Amino acid sequence: MSVINDIDVQALKDTTAAVRATPQLGQVTFSVNGSWQGGCRLTAQTGALTQGGQRDETRIARHVMSSDEPTALLGTDSAVSPAEYLLQALAGCYTVTLAALASAQGIELKAYRLELEGDIDLQGFLGIDPTARPGLQQVRVRLHVDAPNTSHEQLEELIALVGSRSPIRDTLVSPVDVVTTLA
């Protein structure tokens, strides 16, 4: 069995074949449940994961996350900000996507790191300028990939593929329906 970049290539092929044969297996729902802790603070935990219609309860409360804002943005700086979590989500997704795609192509990664920045115009959030979007205006990702046996052109092709296959990047660049209800 071949392992490249700590990815079991046969398991990746088996997963791909299973989803190809039974597309319902590709339908995954993640969940998070959170509680306000006062001010800008939130404590959240993972909820159940549903894949192919099967609910996996073993993830409930398995991982805990806290968020807050920096003091300059009305918080106490006691945790990662939601914007930083969003950048982390993109970085994590790029990492999963890059490692899996590189492994599938037989590209061995020696090292890999990312630098991400995201810009927000507070005029939108504060309601000062109704034309200013409250969300991220731009996200910049800089990748440093060390793959000694891979040409620069191959790495550029790999990075383009990562950009087209990353679920979190797709979520950021494509409109997504967010349904908010009062329980």
Side-chain angles (χ1 to χ4, degrees), residues 6 16 32 47 57 116 157:
D6 291 336
T16 302
V32 171
E57 303 282 341
L116 292 89
E157 289 174 13

Side-chain angles (χ1 to χ4, degrees), residues 63-84:
H63 301 285
V64 176
M65 301 164 279
S66 296
S67 64
D68 193 5
E69 289 290 347
T71 53
L73 299 178
L74 307 175
T76 61
D77 204 15
S78 64
V80 176
S81 75
E84 291 162 332

Side-chain angles (χ1 to χ4, degrees), residues 157-168:
E157 289 174 13
L158 178 63
I159 297 309
L161 194 56
V162 168
S164 70
R165 297 257 188 101
S166 164
I168 300 301

Side-chain angles (χ1 to χ4, degrees), residues 22 42 57 106 111 113 116 119 131 150 154 179 182:
T22 310
L42 175 85
E57 303 282 341
R113 68 183 178 86
L116 292 89
D119 305 320
T131 65
T150 307
Q154 287 174 299
V179 180
L182 180 63

Side-chain angles (χ1 to χ4, degrees), residues 40-94:
C40 298
R41 296 178 311 277
L42 175 85
T43 298
Q45 56 195 15
T46 52
L49 176 79
T50 303
Q51 180 179 16
Q54 298 297 312
R55 190 172 165 93
D56 177 2
E57 303 282 341
T58 63
R59 288 193 47 88
I60 293 177
R62 185 166 181 184
H63 301 285
V64 176
M65 301 164 279
S66 296
S67 64
D68 193 5
E69 289 290 347
T71 53
L73 299 178
L74 307 175
T76 61
D77 204 15
S78 64
V80 176
S81 75
E84 291 162 332
Y85 266 120
L86 191 63
L87 294 176
Q88 161 58 25
L90 180 60
C93 191
Y94 263 38

